[in-house]
Amino acid sequence: MLKCQKCGKTYEKFRMLCECGGLLDVLVGFRESFESLLNEKYLDVRRYLNFLPINENFLPKLILPITPTVEKEIENVKVLFKLEYLMPSGSFKDRGSYVTIAKLKEEGIKEISLDSSGNAAISFALFGKAEGIKVHVFIPERTSEGKKRVLKLLGAEVHEIKGLRMDVHWKAREFKGAFYISHWYNPYFLEGTKIAAYEIFEQVGEVDYVLVPTGSGTLFLGLYKGFKELNNFGKVKMPKLIAVQAEGYESLCKRSKRKSKLAEGIAIPEPPRKEQMLKALKETKGFCISVGDREIDKAISDLISMGFLVEPTSAVVFAAFKKLLERDEFEKDSKVLLPLTGSSLKVI
Amino acid sequence: MLKCQKCGKTYEKFRMLCECGGLLDVLVGFRESFESLLNEKYLDVRRYLNFLPINENFLPKLILPITPTVEKEIENVKVLFKLEYLMPSGSFKDRGSYVTIAKLKEEGIKEISLDSSGNAAISFALFGKAEGIKVHVFIPERTSEGKKRVLKLLGAEVHEIKGLRMDVHWKAREFKGAFYISHWYNPYFLEGTKIAAYEIFEQVGEVDYVLVPTGSGTLFLGLYKGFKELNNFGKVKMPKLIAVQAEGYESLCKRSKRKSKLAEGIAIPEPPRKEQMLKALKETKGFCISVGDREIDKAISDLISMGFLVEPTSAVVFAAFKKLLERDEFEKDSKVLLPLTGSSLKVI
């Protein structure tokens, strides 16, 4: 069931926004224990099916792996890199697509439109192709050529839009004839991304800090929700969430004058779920931190040296981690989770 | 322990070939049960550590996922696609690198050389970079630009060689000052690839047929070994192994005059482990089948339509599957495993 954040109205059917314009949340209440819901026979995303509001008869055919978590000791801090880039389309967005596609199938929706700076578009295009769902993607004209090629290969109808990211957004919303599915609003998308928290819990137990690349907040709010559910199960304390943003596109901390060119995946100045994110930061005693291109560039090299082939946007979390390490932000032996969100293979 | 296939001499230390020139096999004898060896607390490659001849103190830092297996019913046959392309470097070769790197670390070897048509080179370059092991890669000059870029990014010393694949091979073997680690000989590589069979067993149980892209035979022989071990544990019957080769490069069936240009990953006319592969085919009542570029091209489109972003070499198994389906080779409801070996993200 969906519930409006603003007026409280509830919906059974899939929709992006409430009639009043408010954002929707998925309500999931668990009456059973974590252990009884966990489906241990599966070694992939289906292990967590009982925590998801989807019907087993409409699962996407493409199955998501459980992404590995690599532990590294850096200056007395246990850094946990979660390899979200090892997803079928090369980014964590597949988690959101997986759940969304299941809902679309359940409701018989066959044509969708969305705006994306790239990864969400590739993910939906891939799942759409596999399920016979027609996908219209609206992307900024400046999107890298590699991503555009992949989209066309996947049979998506690509609409390249001149102008800012927000112009792309409005063009997609105005488009008629398809169900608009933007991950900026889509409440089911967060159900998909929350599963990363379940995996982390099974892999390493409790964590102290979670640094998340944060633009529209799909991973940030998904991880918040996942940890919150685990907390309700009595499994973990809430980690401190740290939203990592790019210079010039900060929505949760002070906007810089200089604009990042590298972190295209989070160059979203006005995310619709901003208030929800601020609340999550406050509740977990977290904060927002911003990084610039010089720091991102250095972080990319660092990550490659460790064997992680990730795209620039993914590197913001390591850039932020180093900044916070210098500030002595982390207690000795604390566990710091850094999800690595997107593969570099498609863009280099 | 390593044992020579030819003279029977055994070795404790890591080496590529016996003094007599014979090929080496890793001898692993399990005294315990499958269940007691399986390390269920892990949801990644470490789940199968006890089946591997490596020391836990020398594990590579980069961790491999358990790759999902996607089941599809095609004309009354249960086709099982194993998504081997979701590995950190984009191909199944990471399985072999993982075990090999563990052995190199154990023996303190810091500089290696290898010849590869691309994927093995990228895999070793990635793991080498992460572990501080210097990697010299010898590749054919015609290797795709995407792969070359990735190699350089990973800090490998790239030696581009004009001529045939065999010329590349000899140049790498002649190179002095580094430990030659070719997956063509390397017995530990097969220990890594065998783990795919363990995963399949946990994911879907027994299978009837296994179609494998077969050049040097690293995946073919690894899967053979894995299923053999599972068979010895009393867990599965031996599946029928079907080696899929590319036109013009057949080593296990009749050589075609026409030469495939698409299947660069298996364009290996004289694999050193040829006899061993023929034995495995005979033992499992399997056979070799060859496919050409037109069939491969069609199979790539088919796979993309199903949501699998794989490179041309990977598509040979689906091309072969369709050929065999037409020939009515598979009994109703039989389970046919098709490992999808390499990602297309780096080459499109």
Side-chain angles (χ1 to χ4, degrees):
Chain A
M1 193 167 67
L2 300 174
K3 189 178 173 189
C4 176
Q5 288 181 4
K6 215 161 120 189
C7 74
K9 184 164 179 175
T10 60
Y11 298 90
E12 287 302 326
K13 283 201 109 181
F14 193 0
R15 53 186 296 149
M16 281 299 108
L17 288 168
C18 180
E19 281 165 0
C20 80
L23 293 159
L24 298 168
D25 289 326
V26 178
L27 298 186
V28 197
F30 301 113
R31 295 202 189 143
E32 295 171 74
S33 68
F34 173 83
E35 284 72 15
S36 66
L37 289 168
L38 189 71
N39 205 335
E40 287 193 79
K41 78 169 170 169
Y42 290 119
L43 301 172
D44 53 51
V45 65
R46 293 172 296 175
R47 191 172 178 91
Y48 310 101
L49 265 187
N50 296 330
F51 303 100
L52 288 169
I54 53 179
N55 182 325
E56 244 182 278
N57 299 322
F58 298 100
L59 293 186
K61 292 173 208 103
L62 206 51
I63 294 170
L64 310 182
I66 290 172
T67 61
T69 295
V70 172
E71 194 171 328
K72 263 175 206 286
E73 181 96 14
I74 302 181
E75 295 184 27
N76 292 318
V77 172
K78 287 194 185 0
V79 186
L80 305 159
F81 296 96
K82 184 144 178 75
L83 313 193
E84 292 292 288
Y85 61 99
L86 301 184
M87 284 284 170
S89 82
S91 90
F92 80 98
K93 300 279 187 192
D94 288 348
R95 294 189 184 274
S97 302
Y98 186 83
V99 173
T100 304
I101 291 282
K103 293 311 286 184
L104 293 170
K105 285 174 77 173
E106 192 181 332
E107 303 209 357
I109 297 164
K110 290 279 183 195
E111 194 162 350
I112 58 172
S113 65
L114 76 151
D115 51 305
S116 161
S117 58
N119 280 334
I122 291 171
S123 178
F124 272 108
L126 185 74
F127 278 87
K129 180 93 178 171
E131 302 294 338
I133 291 171
K134 172 143 190 167
V135 181
H136 296 269
V137 292
F138 290 75
I139 55 170
E141 207 184 23
R142 65 174 188 284
T143 302
S144 64
E145 288 306 313
K147 285 184 180 174
K148 287 182 197 167
R149 271 200 307 277
V150 176
L151 285 172
K152 284 168 190 167
L153 182 83
L154 292 174
E157 197 145 319
V158 177
H159 307 253
E160 290 183 39
I161 308 297
K162 277 184 197 164
L164 298 170
R165 182 66 183 79
M166 288 311 285
D167 301 318
V168 181
H169 174 62
W170 287 109
K171 287 282 183 198
R173 286 187 72 168
E174 286 158 10
F175 184 72
K176 302 285 177 216
F179 185 81
Y180 176 64
I181 198 82
S182 166
H183 55 288
W184 289 13
Y185 304 99
N186 181 357
Y188 287 108
F189 207 90
L190 306 180
E191 292 297 307
T193 52
K194 83 179 184 191
I195 295 307
Y198 281 89
E199 293 181 11
I200 291 153
F201 168 63
E202 280 214 272
Q203 289 169 327
V204 296
E206 225 168 41
V207 298
D208 303 298
Y209 298 87
V210 182
L211 275 69
V212 197
T214 304
S216 61
T218 49
L219 185 57
F220 180 88
L221 289 169
L223 285 169
Y224 169 77
K225 186 161 195 179
F227 283 116
K228 188 84 185 169
E229 288 175 4
L230 287 161
N231 180 260
N232 289 338
F233 280 121
K235 289 291 171 195
V236 301
K237 66 165 190 211
M238 281 305 281
K240 205 175 267 200
L241 288 180
I242 300 172
V244 183
Q245 302 202 298
E247 275 183 1
Y249 298 96
E250 297 94 338
S251 62
L252 308 173
C253 39
K254 193 168 165 278
R255 181 79 46 92
S256 311
K257 278 198 188 118
R258 206 160 35 184
K259 272 186 161 40
S260 164
K261 281 184 185 123
L262 285 174
E264 60 171 356
I266 53 170
I268 299 160
E270 295 302 335
R273 291 191 185 268
K274 176 177 160 175
E275 292 308 316
Q276 205 176 344
M277 290 193 266
L278 287 169
K279 249 165 89 178
L281 286 183
K282 201 174 159 191
E283 184 194 321
T284 66
K285 301 191 178 63
F287 52 86
C288 163
I289 180 172
S290 166
V291 293
D293 281 354
R294 243 184 31 199
E295 295 156 310
I296 296 171
D297 210 46
K298 180 69 181 61
I300 297 171
S301 312
D302 293 337
L303 290 171
I304 289 172
S305 292
M306 293 186 258
F308 307 128
L309 288 174
V310 294
E311 62 181 351
T313 303
S314 304
V316 300
V317 289
F318 195 65
F321 169 76
K322 291 205 298 182
K323 253 179 146 164
L324 294 171
L325 200 62
E326 263 178 41
R327 281 201 221 157
D328 229 1
E329 189 72 39
F330 309 112
E331 301 79 31
K332 189 170 179 292
D333 292 330
S334 51
K335 284 187 178 172
V336 181
L337 176 69
L338 307 186
L340 299 177
T341 50
S343 170
S344 67
L345 289 179
K346 61 191 164 303
V347 286
I348 50 179
Chain B
M1 192 167 69
L2 300 173
K3 189 179 174 190
C4 177
Q5 287 180 5
K6 214 162 122 188
C7 75
K9 183 164 179 176
T10 60
Y11 299 90
E12 287 302 326
K13 283 201 109 183
F14 193 0
R15 53 187 296 151
M16 282 300 108
L17 289 168
C18 179
E19 280 166 1
C20 80
L23 292 159
L24 297 169
D25 289 327
V26 177
L27 298 186
V28 197
F30 300 113
R31 295 203 186 141
E32 295 171 72
S33 69
F34 173 82
E35 284 74 13
S36 66
L37 289 168
L38 188 70
N39 204 335
E40 286 193 79
K41 78 169 172 168
Y42 289 120
L43 301 171
D44 54 50
V45 64
R46 292 171 297 175
R47 193 174 178 89
Y48 310 101
L49 266 186
N50 295 329
F51 302 101
L52 288 169
I54 53 180
N55 181 325
E56 243 181 279
N57 299 322
F58 299 100
L59 294 186
K61 291 173 208 103
L62 207 51
I63 294 170
L64 309 182
I66 290 172
T67 62
T69 295
V70 172
E71 193 171 328
K72 264 176 204 287
E73 182 95 16
I74 301 180
E75 295 183 27
N76 291 319
V77 172
K78 287 193 185 2
V79 187
L80 305 159
F81 296 96
K82 186 149 177 70
L83 313 193
E84 292 292 288
Y85 60 99
L86 301 184
M87 285 283 172
S89 83
S91 90
F92 80 98
K93 299 280 187 191
D94 288 347
R95 294 189 185 276
S97 302
Y98 186 83
V99 174
T100 304
I101 291 282
K103 293 311 286 185
L104 293 171
K105 284 174 78 172
E106 193 181 332
E107 303 208 357
I109 296 165
K110 290 278 184 195
E111 194 163 351
I112 58 172
S113 65
L114 76 153
D115 52 306
S116 162
S117 58
N119 280 334
I122 291 171
S123 179
F124 271 109
L126 185 73
F127 277 87
K129 179 92 178 170
E131 302 294 338
I133 291 171
K134 170 141 192 170
V135 181
H136 296 268
V137 292
F138 291 74
I139 56 172
E141 207 183 25
R142 66 174 186 285
T143 302
S144 64
E145 288 306 314
K147 285 182 179 174
K148 286 181 197 167
R149 271 200 306 279
V150 176
L151 285 172
K152 283 169 191 169
L153 182 82
L154 291 174
E157 196 144 319
V158 177
H159 306 252
E160 290 183 41
I161 308 298
K162 278 184 197 165
L164 297 170
R165 181 68 184 79
M166 290 311 286
D167 299 318
V168 181
H169 174 63
W170 287 110
K171 286 282 182 197
R173 286 188 70 168
E174 288 159 8
F175 184 73
K176 301 286 177 218
F179 187 81
Y180 176 64
I181 197 83
S182 167
H183 55 288
W184 289 14
Y185 304 99
N186 180 357
Y188 287 108
F189 207 90
L190 306 179
E191 292 296 306
T193 53
K194 85 179 183 192
I195 294 306
Y198 280 88
E199 293 181 11
I200 291 153
F201 168 64
E202 279 213 274
Q203 289 169 327
V204 296
E206 223 168 45
V207 298
D208 302 299
Y209 298 87
V210 182
L211 274 71
V212 197
T214 305
S216 61
T218 49
L219 186 56
F220 180 89
L221 289 169
L223 285 169
Y224 168 78
K225 184 159 196 182
F227 284 116
K228 188 85 186 167
E229 287 176 3
L230 286 162
N231 180 260
N232 288 339
F233 280 121
K235 288 291 169 193
V236 301
K237 66 167 190 209
M238 279 308 278
K240 205 175 266 200
L241 288 181
I242 301 173
V244 183
Q245 301 201 300
E247 274 184 3
Y249 297 96
E250 298 93 338
S251 61
L252 308 173
C253 38
K254 194 169 164 277
R255 180 79 45 95
S256 309
K257 274 194 191 124
R258 207 163 32 186
K259 272 185 162 41
S260 165
K261 280 182 186 129
L262 285 174
E264 60 171 355
I266 52 171
I268 299 160
E270 294 301 337
R273 291 191 185 269
K274 176 177 162 174
E275 291 308 316
Q276 203 176 345
M277 290 193 266
L278 287 169
K279 250 165 90 176
L281 286 182
K282 200 173 162 193
E283 183 195 321
T284 66
K285 300 190 178 60
F287 52 86
C288 164
I289 180 173
S290 166
V291 292
D293 281 353
R294 243 183 32 198
E295 296 156 310
I296 296 171
D297 211 44
K298 181 68 181 64
I300 296 171
S301 310
D302 293 337
L303 291 172
I304 288 174
S305 292
M306 293 186 257
F308 306 127
L309 288 174
V310 294
E311 65 182 349
T313 303
S314 305
V316 300
V317 289
F318 195 66
F321 169 76
K322 291 206 297 182
K323 253 178 147 164
L324 295 171
L325 200 62
E326 261 177 43
R327 280 200 221 158
D328 229 3
E329 189 73 38
F330 308 112
E331 302 81 28
K332 191 171 175 297
D333 294 330
S334 51
K335 285 187 178 171
V336 182
L337 175 70
L338 306 187
L340 300 177
T341 48
S343 170
S344 67
L345 289 181
K346 62 191 164 301
V347 286
I348 50 179

